[in-house]
Amino acid sequence: MIDTREIGHRPGSSRAYTRKAPAPAGFGLDMIKVPEGEPVELDLLAESVVEGVLVSGTASAALAGECARCLDPVSEEVEVELRELFAYPDSATDTSTDDDEVERVVDDLIDLEPVVRDAMLLSLPSSPLCSPDCQGLCSGCGVKWAELAPEHTHETIDPRWAALQERFGGTEEEK
C-alpha cells in the first residue's frame, strides 16, 4: 500500500518507494510461482498527475517450480515493469472510463498487489523448462531421456496385430 497523502494532489510532485512485501498464497501458475512468503521487491516512483497518481517502476521476485518436460526443480528470477494510473475519486476518469479499466485511489491509499500480481503472472512461462534442450521423460519407462542410452527403445505392438504375433510365434527378428 502507498499513502498518497505523502505525495499530495499537486501535479508534478513525486516520491520514490523501495519496498519488500511477502508474496501471498497462489502467486503464480500451476508449474511455476513465487513461493508464499518469498519477498517481492518493489522499486517504484509515484507521480501526482491531474487525474490521479501514476505509479511506475519494477517488481522482482524469486520463482520456484518444476520443468514441464522432466519435472526437475526450476528456480528463476522474474522482474517486470509496472506503469499504472490510479485515479482520484471524482476525477475526469469517472465519466470517461469503466470502473474496471482504471485502478482507483481509495481513502488516499493505493493497493499495489493486484497490479503487481497481474504483471508477474503475465510474464511467467506457462511451461517452464530446466534447460532449453531438455528432452523430457521416456513415455515408456518414465526415465529422463538425458540419462538413457541413445539406442533406448520400447517395442510396442499395435493391439490389432497382437493376435497374429501370438498365433505365428513372434516377430521376424526372433525367427
Side-chain angles (χ1 to χ4, degrees):
M1 296 291 255
I2 292 178
D3 190 346
T4 61
R5 290 177 288 204
E6 298 171 352
I7 303 166
H9 289 257
R10 294 176 309 281
S13 61
S14 64
R15 179 151 191 247
Y17 293 91
T18 302
R19 301 250 169 98
K20 285 186 182 183
F27 206 73
L29 305 174
D30 291 337
M31 298 293 287
I32 194 161
K33 63 183 172 186
V34 178
E36 184 176 356
E38 183 74 25
V40 177
E41 297 182 21
L42 303 170
D43 187 17
L44 305 170
L45 178 66
E47 301 173 85
S48 182
V49 293
V50 174
E51 297 85 16
V53 177
L54 179 65
V55 176
S56 57
T58 61
S60 59
L63 300 173
E66 52 190 26
C67 178
R69 293 183 186 159
C70 69
L71 304 178
D72 276 355
V74 173
S75 60
E76 297 179 18
E77 292 284 325
V78 65
E79 181 172 301
V80 294
E81 293 285 325
L82 304 172
R83 181 172 298 272
E84 189 75 30
L85 174 67
F86 291 84
Y88 291 131
D90 301 324
S91 67
T93 59
D94 285 347
T95 58
S96 63
T97 61
D98 292 333
D99 287 339
D100 60 349
E101 285 185 86
V102 176
E103 297 290 332
R104 307 286 177 185
V105 176
V106 179
D107 296 329
D108 291 323
L109 297 174
I110 292 175
D111 184 8
L112 294 170
E113 183 182 339
V115 173
V116 172
R117 182 188 64 243
D118 291 350
M120 282 201 175
L121 289 179
L122 289 172
S123 72
L124 296 180
S126 59
S127 298
L129 299 176
C130 59
S131 68
D133 59 342
C134 178
Q135 298 173 351
L137 304 174
C138 173
S139 61
C141 61
V143 177
K144 289 177 63 171
W145 278 109
E147 297 172 359
L148 295 171
E151 63 275 357
H152 177 77
T153 62
H154 293 278
E155 186 175 328
T156 57
I157 299 173
D158 188 325
R160 296 172 290 187
W161 297 101
L164 289 175
Q165 182 182 6
E166 289 175 13
R167 177 155 174 88
F168 294 111
T171 63
E172 288 295 321
E173 293 87 24
E174 294 172 349
K175 289 184 177 183

